[in-house]
Amino acid sequence: MALDGANVPTSTTAGHRGPTGRGGRVTGRSAPPVLPPALRACLGLVALLATLVVVVIGVLYAGHSQPGEVDAWIVAPTADSVRPPWRNVALVTDFWGEPAGAAMLVLAAVTGCLLLRRPRAAVLVVAGAGLTVGTTTLVKSLVGRTIHGPDNLSYPSGHTAFATALALAVALLATGLLGLGRTAGTALVLGAALVAGAAMGWAQVALSAHYPTDVLGGWCTALAMVPTTAWLIDRTADRHARRTADAGQREAH
């Protein structure tokens, strides 16, 4: 098994088989981290700022049912702003944020992660997207902003949050596979988030399903949740690997 670019021998002691280091000592990490160490500080700061944005916008528009000044300046979200063929593009884009389309994307991403032998990335795809969408649902009920009637909670955009979360997970996987450093890795991760969020956000506003500030809130929700989830996955997996290694060492003796 390869770990951090080095060939590491494996132990075949009874009752335990895992990665070993110098002298046959069992090491603590069973898989590459899903959140590259070089990106942790930067993405941690991004997550904090994104959380602040979600809270501020939520407070500003709590209980509102009309577009704010920023929304009205960008586009009138209560009327379709695009016509065919761009409306068709928006509908196709929107489909990938619906349950059926989202499930297909998650399945494809998880399959790719497992084929690349990146189990932590597979967990991040599911947990990151799931927790992000779950958070948007919770925030919607707390903020109570609506569009096109009292039953249509709009802030933050769940479609935008999902697309951004999936893009972040895939970009983190690519960063680890390519061995990118802090600058290149951060650029790839944030660039992927921007492209995916902008595409889905445009579709939501174009179809008058959300206000532009709903889209921004959904984008920031993903930026807050995915790096945090990735860090928790690494921390949990590393702790489990250390406990397994300690148990293997005790059995060996």
Side-chain angles (χ1 to χ4, degrees):
M1 180 182 294
L3 179 63
D4 295 334
N7 292 325
V8 184
T10 56
S11 171
T12 56
T13 56
H16 176 76
R17 181 180 179 87
T20 60
R22 185 176 301 173
R25 181 180 178 182
V26 181
T27 60
R29 172 162 287 165
S30 59
V34 70
L35 181 62
L39 273 61
R40 286 175 186 169
C42 181
L43 293 184
L45 177 59
V46 169
L48 288 175
L49 294 175
T51 301
L52 180 61
V53 172
V54 172
V55 172
V56 169
I57 298 178
V59 171
L60 288 175
Y61 294 108
H64 287 208
S65 59
Q66 298 293 329
E69 292 183 5
V70 175
D71 300 314
W73 177 72
I74 296 174
V75 66
T78 55
D80 291 342
S81 57
V82 294
R83 294 290 183 268
W86 289 109
R87 179 173 174 78
N88 297 329
V89 175
L91 287 170
V92 170
T93 304
D94 175 77
F95 167 76
W96 297 111
E98 294 294 321
M104 287 189 283
L105 289 178
V106 169
L107 179 60
V110 168
T111 301
C113 291
L114 295 179
L115 290 175
L116 292 169
R117 298 184 180 180
R118 289 295 193 273
R120 295 190 190 188
V123 173
L124 178 62
V125 168
V126 177
L131 289 174
T132 297
V133 173
T135 300
T136 64
T137 302
L138 175 62
V139 175
K140 282 180 179 179
S141 65
L142 294 175
V143 173
R145 190 186 196 189
T146 60
I147 187 171
H148 306 317
D151 296 330
N152 299 315
L153 296 174
S154 66
Y155 179 85
S157 167
H159 281 63
T160 306
F162 167 76
T164 305
L166 186 62
L168 283 168
V170 173
L172 285 171
L173 169 64
T175 297
L177 289 173
L178 297 174
L180 301 180
R182 181 175 60 184
T183 301
T186 301
L188 175 61
V189 170
L190 295 184
L194 180 60
V195 171
M200 184 61 77
W202 166 80
Q204 298 310 299
V205 174
L207 296 172
S208 69
H210 284 282
Y211 305 110
T213 44
D214 296 338
V215 168
L216 177 59
W219 187 65
C220 287
T221 301
L223 288 175
M225 292 301 300
V226 173
T228 303
T229 304
W231 178 79
L232 288 173
I233 290 171
D234 282 336
R235 184 176 177 84
T236 301
D238 287 343
R239 185 179 298 172
H240 175 72
R242 286 193 295 268
R243 285 199 296 263
T244 302
D246 290 341
Q249 287 179 336
R250 286 194 295 270
E251 291 178 7
H253 293 296

